[in-house]
Amino acid sequence: MAKTETKAVICVACPLGCHVQVTMEGGRPVKALGAQCRKGLEYATQEIQDPVRVLATTVPVTGGILPLLPVRTEGPVPRRMLRACMLALAQCRVQAPVRAGQVILENVAGTGVRVIASRDLPRLSSGL
Amino acid sequence: METVQVDVAVVGGGPAGLAAAWKAREAGAERVMLVERDFELGGILQQCIHPGFGLRYFKEELTGPEYAERFIARIREAGIEVKLNTMVLEIIPSGAPSVAPECALMCVNRQDGVLSIRAKAVVLAMGCRERTRGAIAIPGERPAGIYTAGTAQRLINMEGLMPGRQVVILGSGDIGLIMARRLTLEGAEVKAVVEIMPRPGGLERNLVQCLHDFDIPLLLRHTVVEVHGRQRVEGVTIAAVDENSKPVAGTEQFIACDTLLLSVGLIPEVELCRGAGIEIHPVTGGPVVNEWRQTSMPSIFACGNLLHVHDLVDNVTREAEIAGREAARYSRGELRAKPEAIAMVPGRNVRYVVPQFISAWGEEEVQVYFRVVETEEDVYVVAKLGEQLVARKRQMRVQPPEMVSLRLRPQAMVESLRKLVELKGISAKDLVCRIEVEPHGQN
Ligand SMILES: Cc1cc2nc3c(=O)[nH]c(=O)nc-3n(C[C@H](O)[C@H](O)[C@H](O)COP(=O)(O)OP(=O)(O)OC[C@H]3O[C@@H](n4cnc5c(N)ncnc54)[C@H](O)[C@@H]3O)c2cc1C
Ligand code: SF4
C-alpha cells in the first residue's frame, strides 16, 4: 500500500485564505479538506509539488516622470526561480514613455513567462 | 480668490475618491471635481506594486497601479475635472453663515493660488496615515534608519532608494509583511518581524507569500524595547511580553540591524473633518456615517480608509460608490432620512460596525461591515433588532485582520420592527440593531 500523509497548505488563491489539509498517497494529492471552493485542491497540489508566484518588482526608467517603472510577471513563475528572475531584471533598463501592459522582458530567466509594465509612465516633458 | 461652483466635489484621488467621483457622475451629477494633493491620481495604490488587488471587484488579480489605472481611465472617460497638486486646507460645511447653502472647500495650488470650490455635496476620501514611533514610544536614541513601512515602500518602489540592508520590522500588519518580502527581493536581510500580539496582524495570504516563502522569522508576543545607535541604527533589543503586553525581564535579546521599520497601524486622516465639526467615532477613528456614508454634516459624505481602515481595496471601491451615488442624490435634494435612525452597535466579539446608523431602514438593502475582536471558527454572524433576528450568515472563520460583511434585507427590517413596535409597544427611536458573532450550534 502506498504511504499516506497529510500536509497543511494555506490557499492564497483568494483573500479567504482557507486552511487546506491535503492527503497525499505515494507523493500524489488525493483529497483536500477545508477548501471552500474547487480552486483549493488545484492550488494545494501545485503548492506541494512546485509552488508558483507572480513576481512584482521595479526596473529603472529614463526620461520618465518617475525613476522607476513597476513591473510584474504576466503569469506565475516557479517560486524557486524568483531570485533568478530578480537578477535578470536587474539588467533591464527602459525608456519612457511606457504603456501599461507593454512587454519589458520576454522569457524571464528561461521560465517562458513575460514581464510586463503595470502602469503608464509618461515622459517627463510631455506634461501630465 | 478664484471660485468655482460644482455639484459634487471629491477630496482625495486614491481608490476611494476615484470610485466616488466616477459614481457621482454616473448617478447624474453634472459637474464633478476631484481634488488631489499629489502630482498624480491613484493614492496609496501607486506604491503598492504587488499583486493582490481586484480579486473581488474585477475578478482578476491586479497590482495596485493596474487597479488604479482602470479607475483613472473611467475618470477620464466620464469627463470629470481633476485638480492635481492641489491641497484642501479647510472645509466649511453648508449652513455656515458665509457659504450657505453650499459647502466651501478652501484649496491651494501653484496655478490658482487660493481656490474656493463651492459644492452642493462633498465626498471625503483622504485615506489614512501611518502611526509613527512617537505614537508608540520606544525608548533609546533617535538615530537615522527608523521608517514607517509605508514610507519605506514609497522610497523603494517609486523613488529607487533602499532604506537599509539589515532590517527588523516591528508589527505584522500587511504593509510590514509586504515590505519584508520586497526588501528581501531587493537584497536586504530581514532579520525578524516582531509582533506584540499573540497573533499576526496581517492577512493569511501575506504571511505565506511574504514570510514563509523567504524563511523570515515572525516573533509573536515580542516587542522592541530599545533602539541602539547614535548616528544610525546599530541594532535593537527585543523582549518577550506577558499577557498585559509588558516586556518580561530576562528575555531581552540584541539584534544587529541598520534599519527599523514600523508597521504599527494606520489612523484615518481626519484633520479636515475635525475642522468642519464632523462627528468622529472613537473606535474607527473616522467619521460616524449612515448607510449612505453621510456624516453628521448632511452635505458631507466619507469613504475609504478615511472612514475605517480597510484590508481590501475592493471593499474601498464598493463603499466609495455608495458615497458618490448618494452625494449626487443629495446634490439634487433627493436624499431623505426617516425621523428615527436605527443605531448599529457591536455585540459579542465585534469591535466596530460601519455604518453606525441606518437612516432609511426598510427601503433598500444595506450591507454592514465589521471587524471582530478574536479569531473564531465556524460561527454565525447575526444582526438582531431588539430580540428579533434580522439577518444571519454562517462563516467558516472570522479573524481580526479580515473585515466581515452582512446583508440586511429591507423586508426583514420592516417585519421585525413591526413586531417590536406593534406587539411590544417599543418606540422605533429606542431600537438598536446589534451585530454579533455566535458560535455555531447556539440559538
Ligand atoms: C502597503 C499597503 C498594502 C496594501 N495591500 C493591499 C492588497 O494587497 N490588496 C488589497 O486589496 N488592498 C491592499 N491595501 C489596502 C488598499 O490599498 C487601501 O485600503 C486603499 O488604497 C485605501 O484607499 P483610499 O482611497 O481610502 O486612500 P488612499 O489611497 O490613501 O488615498 C487618499 C488620497 O487622498 C489624498 N489626500 C489626502 N489629504 C488630502 C488633502 N487635504 N487634499 C487633497 N488630497 C488629499 C492623498 O494624497 C491620497 O492620494 C494595501 C494598503 C497598503 C497601505
Ligand atoms: S480554497 Fe477557494 S475559497 Fe478558499 S482560499 Fe482558496 S480560492 Fe479562496
Side-chain angles (χ1 to χ4, degrees):
Chain A
M1 234 185 70
K3 196 169 148 255
T4 332
E5 56 172 341
T6 55
K7 283 196 176 170
V9 173
I10 297 168
C11 179
V12 298
C14 93
L16 285 182
C18 293
H19 291 239
V20 187
Q21 287 287 343
V22 187
T23 308
M24 309 277 291
E25 239 172 59
R28 286 189 43 242
V30 290
K31 195 173 72 180
L33 282 179
Q36 285 181 60
C37 84
R38 202 158 333 135
K39 264 193 267 171
L41 176 63
E42 216 173 281
Y43 176 85
T45 308
Q46 180 66 257
E47 189 67 8
I48 287 169
Q49 288 169 346
D50 190 11
V52 294
R53 299 285 183 263
V54 168
L55 174 68
T57 183
T58 56
V59 296
V61 51
T62 45
I65 55 163
L66 288 167
L68 294 177
L69 172 73
V71 299
R72 68 166 170 101
T73 55
E74 201 172 20
V77 296
R79 189 178 69 190
R80 60 192 152 76
M81 296 299 290
L82 289 180
R83 284 237 171 259
C85 293
M86 284 299 286
L87 287 175
L89 282 163
Q91 311 302 317
C92 240
R93 296 284 177 279
V94 290
Q95 182 77 46
V98 182
R99 295 307 307 257
Q102 188 176 319
V103 177
I104 300 303
L105 190 62
E106 296 277 358
N107 187 14
V108 56
T111 56
V113 177
R114 303 196 290 189
V115 173
I116 57 171
S118 53
R119 64 167 284 170
D120 285 354
L121 205 94
R123 237 196 303 266
L124 186 55
S125 53
S126 71
L128 297 172
Chain B
M1 183 174 63
E2 177 91 17
T3 302
V4 292
Q5 180 82 47
V6 301
D7 294 305
V8 176
V10 179
V11 186
L18 290 168
W22 173 68
K23 206 65 187 189
R25 185 79 191 81
E26 284 250 312
E30 244 159 63
R31 196 165 177 198
V32 179
M33 189 174 270
L34 175 57
V35 187
E36 167 58 52
R37 69 178 168 200
D38 209 344
F39 77 95
E40 64 175 354
L41 295 174
I44 201 89
L45 290 179
Q46 298 292 13
Q47 68 184 63
C48 298
I49 64 164
H50 58 279
F53 300 84
L55 276 164
R56 299 221 170 123
Y57 192 85
F58 289 114
K59 305 274 180 286
E60 56 181 308
E61 186 162 13
L62 304 171
T63 64
E66 285 169 331
Y67 192 97
E69 195 66 46
R70 296 208 176 179
F71 274 93
I72 295 170
R74 288 182 180 181
I75 293 288
R76 234 181 273 128
E77 282 156 23
I80 291 162
E81 294 165 74
V82 178
K83 288 265 175 202
L84 293 174
N85 299 305
T86 307
M87 173 101 178
V88 177
L89 297 178
E90 193 187 356
I91 300 169
I92 306 164
S94 56
S98 57
V99 286
E102 267 114 26
C103 269
L105 303 184
M106 307 307 280
C107 317
V108 282
N109 68 28
R110 292 224 171 145
Q111 287 84 47
D112 309 297
V114 180
L115 170 72
S116 162
I117 303 173
R118 283 172 177 248
K120 293 179 184 145
V122 173
V123 181
L124 302 181
M126 287 92 74
C128 53
R129 64 186 142 86
E130 296 180 278
R131 256 182 240 278
T132 55
R133 189 182 170 196
I136 49 162
I138 306 167
E141 303 282 341
R142 307 266 144 182
I146 305 176
Y147 302 86
T148 59
T151 302
Q153 187 179 44
R154 193 171 175 100
L155 290 177
I156 299 179
N157 292 345
M158 297 187 77
E159 289 166 29
L161 301 168
M162 268 301 266
R165 291 279 148 205
Q166 295 183 307
V167 187
V168 169
I169 300 176
L170 176 61
S172 60
D174 288 312
I175 317 179
L177 300 178
I178 289 195
M179 288 316 292
R181 169 176 63 187
R182 188 74 189 109
L183 283 156
T184 309
L185 284 171
E186 287 294 341
E189 185 192 353
V190 178
K191 297 217 162 163
V193 175
V194 181
E195 169 62 57
I196 194 162
M197 302 297 284
R199 51 183 147 67
L203 299 173
E204 203 92 67
R205 60 198 326 270
N206 289 333
L207 287 173
V208 176
Q209 297 185 322
C210 301
L211 299 190
H212 301 184
D213 274 7
F214 301 95
D215 298 318
I216 298 168
L218 171 62
L219 300 169
L220 297 173
R221 279 188 175 287
H222 278 73
T223 193
V224 170
V225 290
E226 199 177 344
V227 179
H228 306 270
R230 291 203 90 87
Q231 305 288 318
R232 173 86 201 188
V233 173
E234 285 163 14
V236 296
T237 300
I238 65 164
V241 298
D242 61 21
E243 303 79 64
N244 304 317
S245 300
K246 294 270 169 288
V248 178
T251 64
E252 294 87 357
Q253 197 183 326
F254 178 80
I255 304 180
C257 62
D258 58 20
T259 304
L260 175 63
L261 290 197
L262 304 176
S263 175
V264 290
L266 302 165
I267 328 171
E269 185 86 83
V270 290
E271 257 72 277
L272 285 176
C273 303
R274 287 233 162 80
I278 291 170
E279 185 185 348
I280 302 296
H281 191 268
V283 179
T284 60
V288 170
V289 292
N290 64 9
E291 73 270 36
W292 302 317
R293 308 303 187 267
Q294 186 178 31
T295 68
S296 61
M297 294 290 166
S299 59
I300 304 180
F301 296 72
C303 56
N305 276 356
L306 169 75
L307 197 52
H308 56 133
V309 176
H310 293 65
D311 38 291
L312 291 180
V313 74
D314 310 60
N315 289 332
V316 170
T317 300
R318 289 256 153 74
E319 180 174 272
E321 288 180 347
I322 298 173
R325 187 182 65 225
E326 302 304 329
R329 281 174 62 194
Y330 184 90
S331 75
R332 291 194 298 267
E334 287 172 13
L335 213 58
R336 292 270 176 273
K338 297 197 177 192
E340 292 113 1
I342 293 182
M344 308 298 295
V345 298
R348 184 185 172 280
N349 196 18
V350 173
R351 198 155 71 81
Y352 72 75
V353 184
V354 171
Q356 287 91 351
F357 288 98
I358 299 190
S359 288
W361 38 268
E363 286 174 18
E364 281 161 26
E365 184 170 291
V366 176
Q367 187 96 10
V368 294
Y369 293 91
F370 62 96
R371 278 187 198 276
V372 299
V373 181
E374 297 292 345
T375 299
E376 269 186 281
E377 307 269 344
D378 196 8
V379 293
Y380 283 120
V381 297
V382 302
K384 283 180 182 163
L385 202 56
E387 291 312 307
Q388 300 284 322
L389 190 68
V390 181
R392 183 167 85 156
K393 167 173 110 169
R394 180 123 176 236
Q395 186 113 358
M396 292 284 272
R397 188 159 25 98
V398 291
Q399 343 176 228
E402 285 169 33
M403 204 150 75
V404 193
S405 69
L406 184 64
R407 222 179 323 174
L408 305 186
R409 292 179 207 283
Q411 307 91 299
M413 285 294 262
V414 172
E415 274 164 35
S416 307
L417 241 126
R418 191 179 327 110
K419 282 187 196 147
L420 289 165
V421 175
E422 285 176 8
L423 303 180
K424 301 215 169 153
I426 298 172
S427 149
K429 75 173 194 320
D430 298 327
L431 283 175
V432 296
C433 183
R434 228 168 344 115
I435 304 295
E436 54 189 11
V437 178
E438 284 180 351
H440 177 212
Q442 184 189 313
N443 286 314

